[in-house]
Amino acid sequence: MSLSSSLNAGVAGLSVNATRLAVISDNIANSSTNGYRRVDVDFASLVIPSGANSYTAGGITATTFRDVATAGSLIATNNATDISVSGRGMLPVTTVESVDLGANERPFQMVATGAFSRDAAGNLVTRSGLALLGWPTNADGDLLTSVTRESPSSLVPVQISPFLTAAEPTTKISLGINLPADETTAGALGNSFESTVEYFDSIGRNNQLRLVFTPTVPGTGSSNQWRVSFFDSATDPTVPVAELDLVFDESRTGRGALLSVTPVGAVPYDPLTGIAQVTVANGPIDVFIGSPSLDGGLIQLDAPFAPNNVSKNGSPAGNLLTLQINDQGLLQAIYDTGQIRSLFQIPLVNVPNLNGLTALDGQAFAPSPESGSIFLWDANSGPVGGILGFSLQQSTVDIARELTDLIQTQRAYSSNATIIRTVDEMLQETTNLKR
Amino acid sequence: MTIASALNNALSGLTATSKLAEITSGNLANALTDGYGRQSVTLSAAVLGGYGNGVAVAGVDRASSPELTSARRIADGDLAGGQAELDALVRLERSLGVAGGEDTLATRITAFEGALRQLAETPELAPRQAAAAEAASDVVVRLNQISTEVARVRQTADAGIARQVEEVNGALTKIARLNRQIQVFTASGRDTASLIDQREQLIDRVAAIIPIREQRRASGVVDLTTAQGLVLVDTRAREIQFTPSPVITAPMRYDGGAGALSGLTLNGVDITPGGSGSQAIVGGALAGQFAIRDRIAPDLSDRTDALAADLIGRLAAPGLDPTLAPGEPGLFTDDGTAYDPANLVGLAGRIRLSAAVDPSAGGDPALLRDGLGATTPGPAANGALPRALLDALTATSSATTVPGLSPALSFSEAVAGLVELTAFDRVSAETDVAAFSSTRETLASAEAEAIGVNTDAELQALIRIEQAFAANVQVIQTAMRMLDELLEI
């Protein structure tokens, strides 16, 4: 009967609009929750077959779903470990309580953004109790072991010791030195010139490589010859660890560049790269001294002795200062000596159907049968976006839209209430026919 | 949500303009600070995940002009060295007495000559004998004073070297520490401009004392070497070694490390200015002090020693005083004994009046008439010896030639010549200092123009900052009104 079907439809209308109100209120409540994905309602009309001269109202059902695929906009923060994902993909996390469990016992969850900070044990955790997962790497950012990308089994909780110290040994020194040409002309005093270059050994000790340049003074004319001796402060500082004989070119085309380099004794010297290998206590150091075919390195001009451009790599032992995450997802430690070492690689989780993920507390999601199986991608590769430090993803809730929806919901609710009242009045009329 | 983004952008604008105001106020406050490098903020559009996110402070930079700064530092060093040399020369010249002064070595010689002349006329008068002895003693005292003053100047220079070496060592340690701090600040992304300012001031101080070369490294660190290429600061500061001498006498010299005075060493390498090392320091205040200690003052000392030797020699000529046996000391002695030419160094400090005629030593001034070796009084009216002494003083032939002067001079001419030589050195140093000073001023003002604070420009920037701030506030107000509108539906 069509009158009672109207009543049913009106009641269904009230119910779905109440659901919609609940959704709106949840969205508005979370309009400032970082990483929150708004919930939406889909209304579907129900149809009951009816004849040509009668109509039965079918009513309505509501389906709620969370719009996970739409990402919020990013805001900048001052914390390097405020991490968010730009584009598709989510960060792998687990709960803080299960950090110490084995890989297969840990609940696997994912978040779009998180304000991570180090807890007492060194885990990177959010205040809502989620711990970041990643793959450990060496200092250069290469993965230590081969990893499984189809499951979270090779992910480990990111744990950073608060007392991290590291040193980087010196392996390269580049010399850019002018030797005074007048010291190799007849009648010169033959004094030697020296310079020191500090180098760091594997444990960050500061040692000195002393360079002594001794000219050859000929009887007449100019010899343009020097001998450079390397003395290592870590071994016997009176015995040279390497010696090379240098001859400079004073011709018009040479203009004071190296003419030849002859190692004294067994010193590996490669004329193609201009590098002599000087073995100090700690191991070999590649010293660039130049070669006739290359620019730079040692030069002999009629100018004062000048070590203008001496550079080296390596750094002394430094303490962990801060963490940063680059857009390749490498979590790096910055030391107070300026060196940067990678610690972990954070992959991005992708599932075929993001909207099928199961929502959990703390803006976390878990894979479900509807979402499909996970795959761990390197950031900025495949379908996934990049990882950004110093940023958080805002809630996807748009207040203006929610308020507009609120108005619509209110109107719809009162319209449905009017239907019920009207049906009630009409039924009253029917009842009043017989007194 | 776009209104939230608008608010966010406006907030980043407020943060950036506040930073601009902070830096601008710092610049204005330091408008008169010497060596302050103007700081400027670099802003950049903030982009997050490909979308605009307001504005970000990319960094605070300190204006720098390495070429001008390095040229000005060299000029600082030249000026400091030149000024030290000039001060020492003025002091030395004053000890000799300037030409035309009231009580100088020259007036004392003239007084001595006058006393001898009067004694030659009236040799019998005891007061004139005493006056002649007194005048002779005055000359000796003055020469002794000059010698003491020269030693004191060298002493001051030596102490000055010790002080400057200490200052350099202290500054180098602080520079190494600041380097480290700047490295840490750079690594953690903080502003380093103020630390760099501090470090530049310290480098300025070092550079005025020792000419240096600067090499910039990654993360804001600088390495310092001497201009001759020896490392002063890399990860650590090196220490310059110097041992001050508590007392300096005329014979004490710096002799490549073998002499009594200390030189400078850095990491075992001899860097003494004016020394024989191949990497010896050239220029700067320290080199000025070494020049005073090892060249300027010893030169004057050598000249006064020669002058003293001349005085002794003239009045101890064989036959001048027949009462003296050959080899016996004359009227003036080398501390009581005859002068030995092998023992010239420091003579000006040791020259004494012969005790035989010095009343204060129990001598008898009458011996100036009778002969220093006389045992019995001679004829009362015999003026031969005073006259012979006077002739020896005025003879135009020196017994010992003062370096730099002609040998054919009377003694008072030699004294005048010595004063003139010193005055010449002083004038030349004065000219140098004037030139150094004007070069320094030119470079300093050019540097200040390049890296200093331009108050007008800062004030103009301040107006723009105020406008930008107000505009951002306006955006916030508008966004607020829009949200209000929404809630009023």
Side-chain angles (χ1 to χ4, degrees):
Chain A
M1 186 199 149
S2 53
L3 205 56
S4 64
S5 79
S6 305
L7 192 63
N8 279 336
V11 171
L14 286 182
S15 156
V16 294
N17 278 299
T19 308
R20 193 177 187 194
L21 185 65
V23 165
I24 292 171
S25 62
D26 204 15
N27 282 345
I28 291 182
N30 282 297
S31 61
S32 299
T33 309
N34 289 324
Y36 180 80
R37 298 292 205 245
R38 72 183 291 272
V39 183
D40 213 342
V41 185
D42 233 3
F43 287 161
S45 64
L46 297 174
V47 176
I48 294 172
S50 37
N53 39 19
S54 72
Y55 185 81
T56 308
I60 185 170
T61 60
T63 338
T64 62
F65 73 100
R66 200 172 283 270
D67 183 8
V68 183
T70 306
S73 54
L74 304 180
I75 51 160
T77 68
N78 294 322
N79 184 4
T81 48
D82 284 355
I83 304 171
S84 62
V85 178
S86 70
R88 201 180 168 94
M90 289 205 176
L91 302 166
V93 290
T94 187
T95 57
V96 171
E97 304 80 49
S98 52
V99 156
D100 298 327
L101 300 180
N104 295 321
E105 286 123 58
R106 276 194 294 263
F108 178 72
Q109 301 181 1
M110 45 188 113
V111 288
T113 189
F116 293 95
S117 58
R118 270 184 291 165
D119 68 4
N123 296 311
L124 267 189
V125 297
T126 65
R127 282 181 245 342
S128 53
L130 298 171
L132 189 64
L133 299 175
W135 293 317
T137 67
N138 66 9
D140 297 327
D142 300 325
L143 292 172
L144 291 181
T145 51
S146 62
V147 295
T148 319
R149 290 182 179 273
E150 292 79 14
S151 82
S153 58
S154 45
L155 286 171
V156 298
V158 170
Q159 200 165 33
I160 294 150
S161 158
F163 308 109
L164 211 55
T165 312
E168 199 183 333
T170 301
T171 52
K172 279 185 193 135
I173 291 176
S174 169
L175 301 179
I177 300 180
N178 178 56
L179 303 175
D182 54 355
E183 294 292 329
T184 60
T185 46
L189 292 171
N191 281 328
S192 59
F193 291 80
E194 68 172 77
S195 185
T196 45
V197 184
E198 63 178 356
Y199 73 88
F200 308 102
D201 67 9
S202 329
I203 56 169
R205 257 192 310 237
N206 182 319
N207 292 322
Q208 310 291 323
L209 194 60
R210 194 158 68 93
L211 282 61
V212 177
F213 297 90
T214 314
T216 305
V217 182
T220 53
S222 302
S223 69
N224 297 319
Q225 285 180 20
W226 293 80
R227 171 171 288 194
V228 55
S229 314
F230 295 87
F231 295 90
D232 177 18
S233 70
T235 56
D236 185 350
T238 56
V239 178
V241 290
E243 281 190 309
L244 296 140
D245 278 335
L246 314 168
V247 182
F248 291 91
D249 190 352
E250 66 163 23
S251 73
R252 276 200 171 190
T253 49
R255 293 180 194 167
L258 276 169
L259 188 64
S260 74
V261 177
T262 318
V264 180
V267 181
Y269 169 75
D270 181 356
L272 289 178
T273 56
I275 287 174
Q277 208 173 58
V278 176
T279 305
V280 294
N282 179 44
I285 293 180
D286 286 344
V287 180
F288 174 73
I289 57 171
S291 91
S293 57
L294 293 172
D295 281 342
L298 302 174
I299 191 166
Q300 183 203 252
L301 298 172
D302 190 5
F305 177 74
N308 281 331
N309 190 14
V310 177
S311 59
K312 58 177 185 289
N313 66 357
S315 69
N319 297 316
L320 177 66
L321 198 65
T322 176
L323 297 170
Q324 71 171 21
I325 186 150
N326 69 7
D327 60 355
Q328 262 75 51
L330 287 176
L331 184 71
Q332 296 170 321
I334 301 179
Y335 293 83
D336 56 5
T337 49
Q339 64 166 316
I340 297 174
R341 294 166 70 92
S342 293
L343 302 171
F344 286 92
Q345 183 185 351
I346 313 297
L348 283 180
V349 193
N350 188 35
V351 291
N353 173 21
L354 281 171
N355 287 349
L357 289 169
T358 310
L360 303 167
D361 288 351
Q363 300 90 258
F365 299 93
S368 74
E370 292 92 71
S371 69
S373 55
I374 64 158
F375 191 85
L376 300 170
W377 291 88
D378 290 347
N380 267 329
S381 72
V384 300
I387 293 184
L388 293 174
F390 289 107
S391 68
L392 288 171
Q393 210 176 73
Q394 287 182 302
S395 167
T396 53
V397 175
D398 179 351
I399 290 280
R401 179 177 168 185
E402 302 300 332
L403 288 179
T404 321
D405 287 354
L406 192 62
I407 296 166
Q408 285 176 353
T409 310
Q410 194 179 3
R411 291 268 175 258
Y413 194 87
S414 46
S415 303
N416 280 302
T418 309
I419 293 288
I420 292 171
R421 198 163 44 242
T422 310
V423 171
D424 182 40
E425 280 166 12
M426 284 168 75
L427 284 173
Q428 195 71 47
E429 290 296 328
T430 318
T431 317
N432 286 349
L433 286 176
K434 168 87 176 79
R435 295 186 186 227
Chain B
M1 180 184 159
T2 38
I3 295 184
S5 302
L7 276 173
N8 201 41
N9 290 348
L11 188 64
S12 75
L14 289 183
T15 316
T17 39
S18 309
K19 185 75 188 171
L20 282 170
E22 177 200 327
I23 296 300
T24 307
S25 65
N27 280 343
L28 282 170
N30 281 297
L32 300 176
T33 310
D34 224 12
Y36 177 81
R38 180 180 66 242
Q39 298 184 3
S40 57
V41 179
T42 313
L43 298 178
S44 69
V47 176
L48 271 181
Y51 294 97
N53 205 272
V55 65
V57 176
V60 178
D61 297 317
R62 180 184 182 276
S64 68
S65 167
E67 296 78 19
L68 275 176
T69 303
S70 132
R72 197 257 307 144
R73 281 179 182 152
I74 292 172
D76 275 348
D78 286 345
L79 180 60
Q83 189 64 49
E85 287 183 24
L86 176 61
D87 291 348
L89 279 165
V90 167
R91 232 178 116 179
L92 293 173
E93 194 186 19
R94 201 176 298 137
S95 76
L96 286 177
V98 283
E102 277 190 2
D103 180 24
T104 66
L105 182 60
T107 60
R108 289 192 179 193
I109 296 291
T110 316
F112 179 45
E113 285 175 358
L116 282 178
R117 195 170 293 118
Q118 286 183 332
L119 184 61
E121 282 163 10
T122 50
E124 67 280 8
L125 289 182
R128 295 213 165 162
Q129 295 165 0
E134 185 66 29
S137 168
D138 284 351
V139 170
V140 165
V141 167
R142 192 69 199 214
L143 278 171
N144 294 161
Q145 281 172 353
I146 293 169
S147 173
T148 314
E149 182 65 11
V150 171
R152 214 176 282 148
V153 165
R154 297 181 72 199
Q155 187 82 58
T156 312
D158 196 69
I161 293 167
R163 202 181 52 243
Q164 288 180 347
V165 165
E166 204 171 307
E167 186 178 341
V168 167
N169 285 338
L172 292 179
T173 315
K174 283 188 199 137
I175 290 169
R177 205 181 304 142
L178 279 169
N179 260 344
R180 178 91 180 100
Q181 250 175 313
I182 289 169
Q183 195 178 38
V184 172
F185 272 47
T186 311
S188 53
R190 280 182 276 177
D191 287 352
T192 53
S194 306
L195 288 175
I196 292 177
D197 234 36
Q198 262 186 43
R199 187 182 62 193
E200 291 298 303
Q201 279 168 15
L202 285 169
I203 295 177
D204 275 358
R205 270 166 60 190
V206 173
I209 297 171
I210 298 176
I212 53 159
R213 204 188 285 275
E214 202 182 83
Q215 199 177 353
R216 292 180 184 276
R217 301 259 179 239
S219 57
V221 173
V222 293
D223 283 2
L224 298 184
T225 61
T226 66
Q228 287 71 35
L230 289 168
V231 175
L232 288 171
V233 175
D234 41 25
T235 316
R236 297 176 299 121
R238 303 300 149 77
E239 205 176 329
I240 298 176
Q241 306 284 348
F242 176 75
T243 317
S245 312
V247 176
I248 296 185
T249 59
M252 288 171 72
R253 298 286 158 96
Y254 167 73
D255 187 17
L261 295 183
S262 165
L264 291 182
T265 54
L266 175 61
N267 245 8
V269 181
D270 181 14
I271 56 164
T272 317
S276 57
S278 58
Q279 287 168 292
I281 292 175
V282 180
L286 207 49
Q289 298 289 1
F290 271 94
I292 295 165
R293 194 193 75 173
D294 298 334
R295 184 170 55 81
I296 296 170
D299 277 359
L300 183 68
S301 171
D302 288 347
R303 285 177 186 155
T304 43
D305 287 346
L307 200 66
D310 188 18
L311 184 60
I312 294 175
R314 280 172 191 262
L315 303 186
L320 189 72
D321 183 351
T323 60
L324 289 176
E328 273 191 278
L331 182 59
F332 295 108
T333 67
D334 179 357
D335 205 9
T337 59
Y339 160 63
D340 174 5
N343 205 7
L344 174 64
V345 179
L347 185 62
R350 297 191 309 268
I351 189 170
R352 300 281 181 273
L353 181 61
S354 170
V357 297
D358 189 355
S360 62
D364 180 6
L367 294 185
L368 275 172
R369 176 196 61 192
D370 300 336
L372 297 182
T375 46
T376 52
N382 182 4
L385 183 58
R387 194 165 296 116
L389 290 173
L390 183 61
D391 288 349
L393 279 179
T394 51
T396 52
S397 131
S398 306
T400 306
T401 312
V402 176
L405 292 179
S406 151
L409 292 177
S410 74
F411 188 67
S412 55
E413 281 169 344
V415 169
L418 174 64
V419 171
E420 223 166 278
L421 278 178
T422 315
F424 178 76
D425 285 350
R426 192 255 307 153
V427 169
S428 130
E430 246 167 27
T431 322
D432 283 354
V433 166
F436 290 150
S437 170
S438 70
T439 311
R440 198 245 158 218
E441 286 313 310
T442 313
L443 288 168
S445 66
E447 190 196 9
E449 203 158 296
I451 72 167
V453 178
N454 178 346
T455 315
D456 296 346
E458 298 294 335
L459 287 176
Q460 191 215 355
L462 210 52
I463 294 170
R464 289 175 50 211
I465 292 165
E466 198 181 348
Q467 282 175 348
F469 194 85
N472 282 305
V473 169
Q474 196 66 50
V475 171
I476 292 176
Q477 283 173 345
T478 309
M480 194 184 72
R481 278 200 300 273
M482 283 167 74
L483 285 173
D484 283 350
E485 292 290 338
L486 203 56
L487 293 171
E488 279 164 15
I489 297 173

